[in-house]
Amino acid sequence: FEGHEAPVFFGAQNSVCGGSSALGLGTRSVNRDDVLAMIEVVTGDGGYFTTNDLFTKPRTLFPKFTKVYGGMVIASLARMKMPDIILMPVNGKQMCMLATAYAFETGEIITGNAGGGTCLATVTIPFLENRPVFSCGDHGGRMHMRLKDEESLACFPYRLVPGTVANLGRTVFAQGG
């Protein structure tokens, strides 16, 4: 987690977008004028969607958290003892290698999401459904995470990582493929 020696506690009060509600963290109190200003920025020409109705539609495509959490801890993997999920930037070949290693013993494919918020597309499914996903992210997420043009994000429930890593050496990629 570049730039931070210690883990960071992230809650709704730290969020600059509505992504915190999609993560089960609730939302910070925002006055109506600020909400309307935000809607004006993200909709219409130069925004994400043409209308506010379309802006809220992606939220309906993902599982919902049944409770509101006080926050989450964000840190490098080296600084976490037992994370729930891990989020990693990957290029196309690395994603292919991870997907092949994951499928090696499960037969399952990793699905991807594009067009919604980065948090919504990468955190909800691994955390709530215990399945890995990948996403190209959205403009804000890519900017805040400093992703390179060739990178996308893979997100795995932590409990699936040891088996996937062990299988990296057993697939066609380990044979020089």
Side-chain angles (χ1 to χ4, degrees):
F1 193 62
E2 185 182 349
H4 292 279
E5 292 299 315
V8 174
F9 182 80
F10 180 84
Q13 295 304 317
N14 308 105
S15 182
V16 295
C17 74
S20 62
S21 65
L23 298 176
L25 301 179
T27 57
R28 64 186 169 133
S29 179
V30 180
N31 69 49
R32 181 165 171 71
D33 289 341
D34 288 345
V35 170
L36 294 174
M38 183 271 308
I39 290 171
E40 189 174 317
V41 169
V42 299
T43 59
D45 290 346
Y48 287 99
F49 302 95
T50 57
T51 67
N52 187 40
D53 291 342
L54 296 176
F55 171 59
T56 59
K57 185 176 181 179
R59 292 184 216 153
T60 66
L61 305 174
F62 291 90
K64 307 279 187 284
F65 283 84
T66 57
K67 66 180 187 176
V68 175
Y69 294 88
M72 67 175 66
V73 177
I74 303 171
S76 68
L77 190 54
R79 301 226 182 255
M80 296 290 290
K81 291 186 184 197
M82 283 298 295
D84 292 308
I85 59 174
I86 63 167
L87 190 64
M88 57 194 125
V90 294
N91 64 34
K93 183 175 182 181
Q94 292 166 334
M95 187 64 234
C96 190
M97 292 170 72
L98 284 170
T100 302
Y102 173 70
F104 191 73
E105 289 185 337
T106 66
E108 297 175 12
I109 63 167
I110 298 175
T111 57
N113 302 295
T118 303
C119 298
L120 185 64
T122 57
V123 173
T124 56
I125 291 172
F127 188 82
L128 294 173
E129 296 182 357
N130 198 44
R131 294 187 294 120
V133 296
F134 69 94
S135 175
C136 61
D138 69 333
H139 183 268
R142 293 188 66 80
M143 179 184 62
H144 290 300
M145 296 182 81
R146 296 182 290 257
L147 292 177
K148 297 175 186 153
D149 287 347
E150 66 274 10
E151 291 178 320
S152 58
L153 295 166
C155 188
F156 274 72
Y158 184 71
R159 71 170 209 78
L160 300 179
V161 171
T164 301
V165 170
N167 287 336
L168 284 170
R170 300 177 66 201
T171 72
V172 65
F173 288 101
Q175 310 307 314

